[in-house]
Amino acid sequence: MAAPDVLFNLRNNFYLGAYQAAINNSDIPNLSPEDAIERDCFVYRSYIALGSHQLVISEINSSSATPLQPVKLLALYLSSPENKESAISSLKEWLADSAIGNTTTLRLVAGIIFMHEQDYSEALKHTNAGGTMELHALNVQIYIKMHRSEHADKQLKIMQQIDEDHTLTQLANAWLNLAVGGSKIQEAYLIFQDFSEKYSMTGLILNGKAVCCMHMGNYDEAESLLLEALNKDAKDAETLSNLVVCCLHLSKPTTRYLSQLKVTHPEHMFVKRLSDAEDSFERAVQSVA
């Protein structure tokens, strides 16, 4: 009989975006040294997700366990644009080191960072071999961003063979259904609905349901879900960017959400695209003037 998975709830909270719950319920007794390190990885990644980069940077030091070092690197990378270059430089150094270059945490962090950089082929170099459910789920995300849904589907099938009911398998299935669109949107909505019935409502679940609603043309319901998500976290980038899109469709003002997004997430893809569009418009106006 398999031993109980003592970190199941912690992982599940993290996967579903219940970061504070993951932190609050991380004091688990009698953990093995390996489980304690994995617990710490998830706790520090939860702090990163909540924007507490400095806490992670200050608490993880050179004497901390090796798997925690890439987590500190991720915090450095995300903490400010000025730190990105040095973080990527260190990352490449570590990946080239035969002693640590193939560890799952470092490969996962490499995938996340290179995906942020939109260097998808570089991300896949480190994640494509899989090895953990998180790496397979990250592969699904990367392939979706590359508009290669057939490759994302192959990764999803691997996950389904390992554990069809795993939270990450279900999430990856919902992401792919959203990317494919059409009749698959309803299936994605049902996955997020199932999560909302089983677990505490999180911003991730609310945004998932809202995006499905927008795809199906139900903008009023989407707005209601997104406002609920905004109450949980007024600075969440996905909530703010989805609210801008939703309000545009409802012919409602978007200025406040857009301003919040620009202030709190100046590096967000939505902000960058908008800035590029504004620059192009300005150039066009000047060329006509």
Side-chain angles (χ1 to χ4, degrees), residues 1-192:
M1 188 174 146
D5 182 358
V6 288
L7 297 179
F8 175 83
N9 288 331
L10 176 67
R11 281 195 214 96
N12 218 47
N13 278 327
F14 178 81
Y15 297 149
L16 291 170
Y19 304 117
Q20 196 59 56
I23 294 163
N24 293 349
N25 298 299
S26 62
D27 190 10
I28 305 162
N30 308 318
L31 289 179
S32 68
E34 292 82 5
D35 282 342
I37 291 169
E38 188 182 350
R39 182 266 316 274
D40 291 347
C41 279
F42 277 107
V43 168
Y44 283 125
R45 286 173 65 197
S46 295
Y47 276 118
I48 291 171
L50 291 171
S52 300
H53 305 118
Q54 239 17 80
L55 179 145
V56 177
I57 293 163
S58 61
E59 285 198 11
I60 299 176
N61 55 43
S62 55
S63 63
S64 299
T66 303
L68 292 175
Q69 301 303 327
V71 178
K72 179 175 183 173
L73 201 61
L74 179 62
L76 274 166
Y77 171 82
L78 294 171
S79 62
S80 76
E82 294 77 46
N83 291 333
K84 282 188 173 185
E85 210 171 299
S86 63
I88 292 169
S89 174
S90 297
L91 176 64
K92 287 178 176 174
E93 234 175 82
W94 295 1
L95 289 165
D97 184 335
S98 57
I100 59 166
N102 204 34
T103 57
T104 51
T105 311
L106 183 60
R107 286 166 55 218
L108 182 72
V109 167
I112 293 167
I113 288 177
F114 288 123
M115 185 171 77
H116 268 275
E117 290 291 303
Q118 295 175 54
D119 191 346
Y120 302 127
S121 56
E122 187 63 30
L124 287 168
K125 273 187 203 172
H126 308 292
T127 62
N128 204 33
T132 68
M133 291 299 268
E134 270 206 279
L135 282 164
H136 287 303
L138 187 58
N139 285 335
V140 172
Q141 284 185 299
I142 293 166
Y143 281 126
I144 288 170
K145 285 184 179 291
M146 294 172 78
H147 306 290
R148 300 299 300 270
S149 55
E150 73 283 8
H151 289 298
D153 190 46
K154 283 178 189 171
Q155 289 291 324
L156 176 60
K157 283 186 167 60
I158 294 168
M159 295 176 78
Q160 287 170 332
Q161 283 167 2
I162 298 167
D163 185 353
E164 195 168 9
D165 296 323
H166 196 288
T167 296
L168 285 176
T169 308
Q170 293 296 313
L171 274 174
N173 197 358
W175 297 331
L176 185 56
N177 285 338
L178 274 169
V180 172
S183 61
K184 293 286 184 182
I185 300 295
Q186 184 63 32
E187 290 178 37
Y189 182 84
L190 291 174
I191 291 170
F192 287 116

Side-chain angles (χ1 to χ4, degrees), residues 210-224:
V211 171
C212 293
C213 287
M214 286 196 278
H215 275 285
M216 294 186 287
N218 301 334
Y219 294 104
D220 287 320
E221 187 184 345
E223 184 189 27
S224 171

